[in-house]
Amino acid sequence: MSRSLKYEIPGDDPRLSLTDVAALGWDELFAKTRQTGENRLAEGIDASSRISESRRRRVLEIGFGRGEFLLAMADRMPEVDFVGIEISFKRTLKMARKVARAELRNIRLLEARAEVALKQLFLPLGLSEIWVNFSDPWPKVRHSHRRVIQANFVADAALALEEGGALYVATDDVRYAHQIDTVLAAESRLFNQYHPWPYLASVPGRFETGYEEQWRSVGRPLHFFAYATTPRIDLP
Ligand SMILES: C[S@@+](CC[C@H](N)C(=O)[O-])C[C@H]1O[C@@H](n2cnc3c(N)ncnc32)[C@H](O)[C@@H]1O
């Protein structure tokens, strides 16, 4: 029997609508959130991380699922603003409850199709990093056009990244990995940070996502890609 969903948010609701973002813009929305969180900032964060609003880095995770990765990153880096996009209403709601409970004011969530949101809300040069972790592989050939990593999406990602910004993609699916490799290598504005290898099978120090943990525990091969707008960046 499925448990009923809890709709109330135990604190500030981190969810935004496409209309909010289009009307106000990310800078204003994050600045507003931070004002309400001033007390926590004053108590918990040292002066060196109080950098000006305009210089704050912005990182996007697409398809955050249960949200382990986004929560860990945002907790580790309070000086960075994080946006999570998820197509599932239920996962966005559950994540909103987790973010509110953790009082993480540097995460905002959008329930949206990532391909649309990226084009409408992040172009150009607005992002330091884009993470696409274990997006659905759609293994049947007739469904493969539904995969997130496609040439148009990667072209938009390249435009959305600032200079030195990076797109990180991970998958457990071998056929999807081939497609990702082909599409990323064909995007002339992005440079493979793992050259001469197309991807790495593991990345030390990386936060583990829910699916990553699951696939690793059953021994599936993993593929981690890192592409940036300049030939060599300091990888996280
Ligand atoms: C296989 S799960 C991986 C979840 C998480 N990234 C992880 O690694 O544990 C893929 C997630 O992407 C979401 N998703 C699928 N297509 C999407 C799209 N076009 N835009 C945004 N989210 C999407 C799904 O709802 C699901 O939560």
Side-chain angles (χ1 to χ4, degrees), residues 13-174:
D13 191 340
R15 289 171 297 178
L16 300 169
S17 69
L18 294 173
T19 333
D20 289 337
V21 185
L24 296 175
W26 290 109
D27 288 343
E28 189 168 336
L29 286 165
F30 271 110
K32 265 188 176 177
T33 331
R34 245 181 310 284
Q35 276 158 18
T36 50
E38 265 306 306
N39 294 344
R40 178 174 178 268
L41 278 171
E43 286 161 17
I45 299 171
D46 69 344
S48 62
S49 64
R50 290 166 153 274
I51 55 179
S52 73
E53 295 294 336
S54 58
R55 285 181 48 234
R56 285 179 69 91
R57 293 170 63 229
R58 191 167 301 140
V59 170
L60 172 66
E61 189 190 4
I62 285 171
F64 53 75
R66 290 190 293 269
E68 302 90 341
F69 187 83
L70 196 54
L71 289 165
M73 295 259 283
D75 189 50
R76 159 93 67 91
M77 289 176 270
E79 74 284 6
V80 178
D81 288 336
F82 291 86
V83 179
I85 302 186
E86 179 43 74
I87 205 166
S88 152
F89 166 78
K90 199 165 148 184
R91 289 191 159 171
T92 311
L93 172 65
K94 287 186 171 182
M95 180 65 169
R97 288 171 50 81
K98 291 180 192 172
V99 172
R101 214 175 293 122
E103 296 184 22
L104 285 167
R105 295 178 189 280
N106 58 337
I107 299 185
R108 299 289 98 182
L109 306 176
L110 274 178
E111 180 201 328
R113 178 173 289 282
E115 298 86 329
V116 175
L118 184 65
K119 206 181 259 308
Q120 290 182 354
L121 305 177
F122 293 97
L123 303 182
L125 311 175
L127 293 168
S128 303
E129 294 170 11
I130 302 174
W131 294 81
V132 187
N133 292 316
F134 301 91
S135 63
D136 300 291
W138 294 106
K140 290 189 180 146
V141 174
R142 70 176 188 278
H143 291 153
S144 59
H145 65 280
R146 297 183 187 172
R147 292 170 175 166
V148 170
I149 303 298
Q150 309 279 351
N152 285 347
F153 171 86
V154 170
D156 285 341
L159 283 177
L161 289 169
E162 64 194 14
E163 196 185 338
L167 168 64
Y168 299 96
V169 182
T171 187
D172 59 291
D173 186 277
V174 173

Side-chain angles (χ1 to χ4, degrees), residues 134 168-173 177 180-181 184 192-206 212 216 220-227 232 235-236:
F134 301 91
Y168 299 96
V169 182
T171 187
D172 59 291
D173 186 277
I180 294 167
D181 178 29
L184 289 176
N192 178 6
Q193 301 299 300
Y194 297 150
H195 180 79
W197 299 281
Y199 58 81
L200 299 185
S202 73
V203 178
R206 206 191 114 100
E212 182 175 344
R216 203 186 291 286
R220 283 181 76 112
L222 305 182
H223 313 75
F224 297 97
F225 298 84
Y227 274 69
R232 274 287 169 265
L235 293 167

